[in-house]
Amino acid sequence: MTPDPQSVKCNCLAVRQAARHVTQFYDQYLAPSGLRTTQFSILTKLKRLGPMTINALAADLVMDRTTLGRNILPLQRDGLIAVAKGSTDRRSKELRMTEAGAECQRTAVEGWVEAQAQFEAVFGAKRAAELRALLHAVAASDLGAAVRTEAAPEASS
């Protein structure tokens, strides 16, 4: 079957396929820790940045708040994070990593380091660095502005 020329050129499809492929790869290395890639990312952000509101963490991870909520449930259930009222705004919920979460994250780092090394061995260290730079630029871009501009009604004279 010949691929549809439009799907071959689809940026979204290419990024999502690559993301799933890389996620599955990293998940294999993180499996001994009991964490999946997204959970590891959440714990690592909390370790690096300290307690955060759910909204702040979702924004930092470029993740929908409800998706983040589903991903924190097993971490909370397993005692790896604690959810409490916000320290500055009592109406918000703040996430913090527990000592058990810190230990689990430290264990998972070993698998992550191995995955990083294997990825770079297969893909090349220079290409991997270039890929990260491109993907960071995409994540930091204001693609939403293009949608807002396209959706804005034309001014009538």
Side-chain angles (χ1 to χ4, degrees), residues 41-61 68 72 81-88 92-97:
S41 297
I42 291 167
L43 290 178
T44 300
K45 283 287 184 186
L46 291 174
K47 177 182 181 189
R48 190 175 324 132
L49 302 175
M52 300 177 74
T53 64
I54 291 174
N55 287 341
L57 182 58
D60 199 72
L61 291 169
L68 176 61
I72 64 174
I81 62 168
V83 181
K85 290 186 179 181
S87 55
T88 56
S92 65
K93 290 183 179 178
E94 194 171 80
L95 306 174
R96 68 171 179 77
M97 187 165 41

Side-chain angles (χ1 to χ4, degrees), residues 53-153:
T53 64
I54 291 174
N55 287 341
L57 182 58
D60 199 72
L61 291 169
V62 191
M63 184 181 284
D64 181 77
R65 188 186 186 286
T66 56
T67 302
L68 176 61
R70 283 192 305 276
N71 279 282
I72 64 174
L73 289 176
L75 296 172
Q76 186 179 11
R77 179 197 65 220
D78 296 343
L80 304 178
I81 62 168
V83 181
K85 290 186 179 181
S87 55
T88 56
D89 181 355
R90 306 295 286 165
R91 295 170 296 174
S92 65
K93 290 183 179 178
E94 194 171 80
L95 306 174
R96 68 171 179 77
M97 187 165 41
T98 64
E99 188 51 49
E103 180 59 35
C104 186
Q105 194 272 348
R106 279 191 293 272
T107 301
V109 165
E110 297 171 17
W112 177 84
V113 167
E114 176 95 16
Q116 284 284 103
Q118 289 301 316
F119 184 94
E120 290 189 1
V122 171
F123 202 68
K126 183 176 186 248
R127 287 177 65 205
E130 291 167 348
L131 176 64
R132 283 191 303 276
L134 282 170
L135 293 173
H136 286 304
V138 169
S141 70
D142 191 7
L143 291 174
V147 173
R148 289 187 297 274
T149 302
E150 290 287 321

